[in-house]
Amino acid sequence: GAGVSQTPSNKVTEKGKYVELRCDPISGHTALYWYRQSLGQGPEFLIYFQGTGAADDSGLPNDRFFAVRPEGSVSTLKIQRTERGDSAMYLCASKLTTGTGELFFGEGSRLTVL
Amino acid sequence: AQSVAQPEDQVNVAEGNPLTVKCTYSVSGNPYLFWYVQYPNRGLQFLLKYITGDNLVKGSYGFEAEFNKSQTSFHLKKPSALVSDSALYFCAVSRPFGNEKLTFGTGTRLTIIP
């Protein structure tokens, strides 16, 4: 498709389980970003990739969170030993390259940890 | 550190009237400023940005924003509101020179009353 695609759109899991969230950016976009949005809050930066490498992962809350982008296109956000506090909407965005261009966001993956 | 404040959680405007959604920011150095809009069940969409130059920035759907350095503000405006403008609006800031991390405000829900 033409836009940023995120799967699954909804994920319900139990505390302690492992979760993967996938992002397929717009074709040709080299920069990819993950944000987390809790209810009533604005999106919070987690990590961004330029190509295959994580250029800034300063927003990842702890070492249970990890993201990869092995071929410079699709990215996966991985959460180990999920906790109830991880429940949120996880947003992916991409843009043509780093710099002042606009971000194109996907519709998000809503994660609920029971 | 960088931050954004959107002092109004909710703004109601009658259709046809001018609208303003307020945003103030805090950042070291010259800011990059953005407005994004979120419609129900849709991803965040870019409206406009200020990088440098003219303080009045025009964007999508007839929206504009004015950068005011002395007041550290970047209010979103539209001369005549439409019912279809009803949505959640986010202001965001980043530092220049390669800092890709966007910091978002908590959002303002705009409701246009027919």
Side-chain angles (χ1 to χ4, degrees):
Chain A
V4 176
S5 176
Q6 292 188 246
T7 55
S9 54
N10 268 292
K11 176 69 176 179
V12 180
T13 191
E14 293 180 343
K15 181 175 177 295
K17 299 289 188 183
Y18 171 79
V19 165
E20 287 189 353
L21 305 176
R22 174 190 166 108
C23 173
D24 198 344
I26 292 173
S27 178
H29 281 194
T30 63
L32 184 147
Y33 305 75
W34 285 99
Y35 282 81
R36 179 168 71 173
Q37 186 176 17
S38 301
L39 203 60
Q41 300 296 316
E44 294 178 298
F45 172 83
L46 295 177
I47 184 172
Y48 94 90
F49 292 85
Q50 176 56 36
T52 60
D56 183 347
D57 64 357
S58 62
L60 294 177
N62 51 60
D63 62 6
R64 295 186 297 106
F65 289 74
F66 190 70
V68 295
R69 194 186 185 200
E71 298 178 357
S73 178
V74 171
S75 176
T76 304
L77 179 65
K78 308 181 181 198
I79 311 173
Q80 299 178 322
R81 304 183 304 281
T82 52
E83 300 178 356
R84 292 195 180 88
D86 299 335
S87 297
M89 179 73 85
Y90 289 82
L91 303 174
C92 178
S94 70
K95 62 182 178 180
L96 195 57
T97 186
T98 54
T100 60
E102 67 178 271
L103 281 173
F104 292 84
F105 280 85
E107 294 186 7
S109 292
R110 181 170 296 284
L111 175 65
T112 303
V113 182
L114 301 177
Chain B
Q2 56 200 45
S3 64
V4 169
Q6 292 183 245
E8 301 156 318
D9 291 336
Q10 172 85 38
V11 171
N12 297 326
V13 177
E15 185 178 20
N17 281 5
L19 68 87
T20 299
V21 182
K22 295 179 181 177
C23 171
T24 58
Y25 67 89
S26 174
V27 70
S28 299
N30 295 320
Y32 291 166
L33 294 158
F34 304 81
W35 276 100
Y36 283 81
V37 60
Q38 191 171 40
Y39 298 102
N41 300 316
R42 301 279 300 275
L44 281 159
Q45 294 178 30
F46 171 82
L47 273 181
L48 51 79
K49 66 184 178 185
Y50 171 81
I51 302 300
T52 188
D54 194 346
N55 289 344
L56 184 63
V57 177
K58 294 188 183 296
S60 307
Y61 312 121
F63 284 93
E64 59 188 28
E66 185 164 13
F67 170 62
N68 187 317
K69 188 170 184 177
S70 63
Q71 297 186 4
T72 62
S73 67
F74 189 57
H75 302 330
L76 182 70
K77 300 184 179 188
K78 187 172 182 181
S80 178
L82 301 173
V83 172
S84 58
D85 294 330
S86 298
L88 189 55
Y89 289 80
F90 291 95
C91 181
V93 67
S94 71
R95 287 189 290 111
F97 308 121
N99 186 311
E100 291 291 315
K101 184 189 307 185
L102 268 184
T103 298
F104 286 84
T106 53
T108 298
R109 184 162 300 282
L110 176 65
T111 300
I112 307 303
I113 302 163

